[in-house]
Amino acid sequence: MRNYELLPFNFITISNHEVLINELGDFIITPIGTARSIVDHTISDGDLYKSLVANLFITEEVLPSLLDIYASRLRTKKGFLDDKTSLHIFVLTLRCNQNCTYCQATSQEELSKHCSMSIEDMTASVQMMFQSPSPHLTMEFQGGEPSLEIDLIRHGIETAEEINKVENRKLTYVLCTNCRTLSDELLELCKQHSILISTSLDGPSYIHNKNRGREDSYEKTIAGINKARHVLGNDAISALMTTSELALDYPKEIVDEYVKDGFNGIFLRALNPYGLAAQNDDWKNYNQRFVEFYKTALDYIIELNMQGLFFREEYASIILRKMLTPYTTGFVDLQSPAGTINSVIVYNYDGYVYASDESRMLAEIRDFSFRLGKVTDRYGDVFCGSVARKMGKVWANEVLAGCSSCPIKTYCGADPVRHHSTQGDMYGFRPTSMVCEKNKAIIEHLLSLIVERGCEVLPIFRRWVK
Ligand code: SF4
């Protein structure tokens, strides 16, 4: 019987191995039965024992000298909390010039009135943004189609830059646009203020046009991407895809489209149950098909990398960064405490502040559960008000039933808004939670790739997280 103490860790059985995972996200691949031996204090001397001590799974001292290092590494992993809210989303309008079949934002006709932010609310929103203590502030312009509101974008940026003469924060601007109508005036504004462009490309024309509800959508998006690259440079534009029902049948074709268009990565993004997308009547089936789609596409991407191409899958890269590096990620959907309010906030066209992008989408179906207050309210009343405090009780998976004992929780995150919208309860019930099912399947698939094909995939994965 060996004399040592156990430090917090859990384990999961994958591909006939036990993967031991500690609270820092470090993992060790061991033979079946290792967890039992550790608990029974029958683990034998050798490399595994030394590795367990060195990686803080067990300790030979009651108060290990490495405890301060453990604490410091845990602090680094939760580093996204130090800065407080850094991503500030400005929903300028619901007006749009496309008819996406799965629109999650409840967009309105291009000529609609009364669904754009007022200049006064934009000013108040920017002022509120600067009350966040974060040294880095990202202003992300969303819609509808925000490029239809160029005057609001200009006013928002000019107001921010004026205030920043005193505040001296690091400002980043992102414009989420479908690239349909990137005017010279807009691109000039982007150039002047180094605005990054995030666009949507769902795959080849037969998928993109069908999803986007216009026959010329693909052609216009590709032309817009090329025009933006020409004016702003290749690195200033990135693209996101949304996996519609149609897209589920074309994983390789979608990856090939991104490679052909000169992108060095793709974010394989599932549909979320908001707006028109919520009308899908079989989410369980969609979720399962999405996981299969994801695995096929990921395997194909790995194959392309093995042939010498550098091309990464962004969702996997975020999870792998948690597995393979000591660092935190800024991705709000996989955080605990949740990214809502802690990392992201939304100033909506209606003059109200919402806890997240999904929260404002719920408001369009008259569910105001995550409305935090008005842009003219006091910062403390909005960011620390009754809604924020209610959410604070259920936004850490370390304390949620199901998650707290989950071996892969350090790679996952809490999502009270999604659980509210799909299960009618912010706390959520993990055995029937679709977000849990999807995250679990993807995280376990990544671990199984590492266990079964580590020599092949780890060099690729390490390049993705650099
Ligand atoms: S949501 Fe599911 S996969 Fe994620 S930590 Fe909770 S139980 Fe684990």
Side-chain angles (χ1 to χ4, degrees):
M1 185 116 172
R2 297 208 55 133
N3 198 16
Y4 58 77
E5 307 289 328
L6 269 62
L7 289 168
F9 75 90
N10 209 325
F11 75 99
I12 182 168
T13 303
I14 296 220
S15 309
N16 219 20
H17 288 76
E18 278 173 9
V19 182
L20 315 183
I21 305 170
N22 68 14
E23 299 282 305
L24 305 172
D26 296 338
F27 64 88
I28 305 180
I29 301 167
T30 65
I32 295 284
T34 303
R36 176 87 262 164
S37 304
I38 294 173
V39 172
D40 288 347
H41 290 244
T42 56
I43 196 92
S44 54
D45 259 334
D47 289 348
L48 177 59
Y49 183 83
K50 286 181 197 147
S51 180
L52 290 168
V53 174
N55 288 290
L56 301 165
F57 286 77
I58 59 174
T59 172
E60 293 170 329
E61 303 154 288
V62 178
L63 265 182
S65 49
L66 292 176
L67 205 59
D68 284 345
I69 295 174
Y70 194 99
S72 153
R73 287 198 52 207
L74 191 56
R75 200 159 50 235
T76 304
K77 283 278 176 186
K78 300 288 184 188
F80 61 90
L81 290 171
D82 290 345
D83 287 350
K84 288 301 292 175
T85 324
S86 56
L87 175 57
H88 297 255
I89 295 178
F90 295 77
V91 180
L92 304 186
T93 183
L94 290 187
R95 295 166 58 221
C96 191
N97 48 16
Q98 286 198 145
N99 298 310
C100 301
T101 51
Y102 54 71
C103 180
Q104 295 165 170
T106 319
S107 65
Q108 305 294 318
E109 288 292 325
E110 191 171 345
L111 297 176
S112 296
K113 301 212 181 307
H114 312 301
C115 56
S116 294
M117 190 182 269
S118 68
I119 288 282
E120 293 75 22
D121 282 344
M122 174 53 100
T123 306
S125 302
V126 174
Q127 287 167 343
M128 182 173 273
M129 173 180 78
F130 274 96
Q131 293 187 57
S132 162
S134 176
H136 305 276
L137 298 171
T138 296
M139 288 180 79
E140 183 171 299
F141 301 108
Q142 284 199 21
E145 173 50 42
S147 67
L148 300 175
E149 299 290 349
I150 185 167
D151 290 343
L152 268 176
I153 299 173
R154 182 177 285 110
H155 177 74
I157 291 177
E158 285 174 0
T159 307
E161 301 211 330
E162 189 57 36
I163 298 173
N164 206 37
K165 285 179 186 163
V166 176
E167 291 284 342
N168 209 14
R169 314 282 184 98
K170 184 171 182 338
L171 296 179
T172 303
Y173 308 112
V174 179
L175 173 64
C176 300
T177 170
N178 58 31
C179 276
R180 245 190 112 77
T181 46
L182 283 186
S183 63
D184 294 344
E185 184 191 2
L186 181 61
L187 285 176
E188 188 47 44
L189 187 68
C190 292
K191 192 170 178 184
Q192 195 184 343
H193 297 285
S194 305
I195 303 174
L196 302 170
I197 290 187
S198 171
T199 193
S200 307
L201 178 65
D202 288 347
S205 57
Y206 53 89
I207 299 173
H208 188 87
N209 287 343
K210 193 98 182 230
N211 285 354
R212 302 281 159 176
R214 299 241 163 142
E215 279 184 8
D216 62 350
S217 190
Y218 173 84
E219 191 190 317
K220 293 239 160 132
T221 299
I222 295 293
I225 289 171
N226 290 334
K227 185 174 174 183
R229 279 177 173 160
H230 181 69
V231 178
L232 307 173
N234 280 1
D235 292 343
I237 181 151
S238 61
L240 279 172
M241 62 84 58
T242 304
T243 313
S244 62
E245 291 261 351
L246 173 66
L248 290 169
D249 292 328
Y250 300 99
K252 292 184 181 176
E253 292 81 352
I254 292 168
V255 172
D256 283 340
E257 175 67 37
Y258 269 66
V259 173
K260 175 173 82 84
D261 297 329
F263 291 104
N264 59 13
I266 187 169
F267 197 131
L268 299 168
R269 207 167 49 141
L271 266 181
N272 293 330
Y274 305 104
L276 288 180
Q279 291 168 12
N280 182 339
D281 50 15
D282 194 351
W283 274 102
K284 191 155 182 54
N285 180 265
Y286 171 84
N287 217 35
Q288 286 163 356
R289 288 185 65 207
F290 174 79
V291 169
E292 286 316 305
F293 161 89
Y294 183 90
K295 288 180 183 174
T296 308
L298 185 67
D299 280 354
Y300 182 52
I301 292 170
I302 290 169
E303 206 180 299
L304 293 177
N305 279 270
M306 285 168 66
Q307 289 165 16
L309 183 76
F310 176 85
F311 188 88
R312 74 175 152 222
E313 201 290 303
E314 303 291 353
Y315 196 64
S317 302
I318 291 160
I319 296 166
L320 289 165
R321 195 170 155 85
K322 292 176 169 224
M323 288 179 180
L324 302 175
T325 81
Y327 306 115
T328 182
T329 82
F331 183 65
V332 298
D333 290 359
L334 288 177
Q335 285 182 355
S336 175
T340 44
I341 306 177
N342 292 308
S343 297
V344 62
I345 201 86
V346 173
Y347 309 97
N348 206 20
Y349 72 95
D350 58 6
Y352 285 94
V353 185
Y354 291 88
S356 65
D357 205 23
E358 291 77 15
S359 308
R360 64 102 176 183
M361 292 171 184
L362 285 175
E364 294 307 322
I365 53 167
R366 310 207 61 70
D367 179 345
F368 302 111
S369 304
F370 302 102
R371 182 184 265 183
L372 305 177
K374 296 208 76 162
V375 295
T376 45
D377 288 345
R378 282 170 15 132
Y379 173 83
D381 292 344
V382 172
F383 282 68
C384 310
S386 58
V387 177
R389 290 202 303 275
K390 205 167 145 194
M391 292 179 77
K393 292 179 182 158
V394 294
W395 69 20
N397 58 9
E398 285 85 351
V399 297
L400 294 174
C403 295
S404 62
S405 56
C406 173
I408 54 173
K409 67 173 178 293
T410 47
Y411 310 134
C412 193
D415 200 338
V417 177
R418 180 69 61 83
H419 285 119
H420 166 86
S421 72
T422 56
Q423 300 190 312
D425 168 20
M426 277 199 287
Y427 193 99
F429 181 60
R430 254 48 64 188
T432 55
S433 157
M434 282 183 293
V435 68
C436 172
E437 185 185 22
K438 183 193 79 177
N439 285 345
K440 194 174 266 182
I442 292 174
I443 294 167
E444 289 183 8
H445 182 62
L446 288 169
L447 284 172
S448 73
L449 285 170
I450 292 171
V451 172
E452 291 167 20
R453 299 171 53 196
C455 294
E456 282 173 334
V457 300
L458 275 172
I460 294 168
F461 288 171
R462 292 216 164 89
R463 282 201 293 277
W464 289 4
V465 299
K466 268 189 185 154

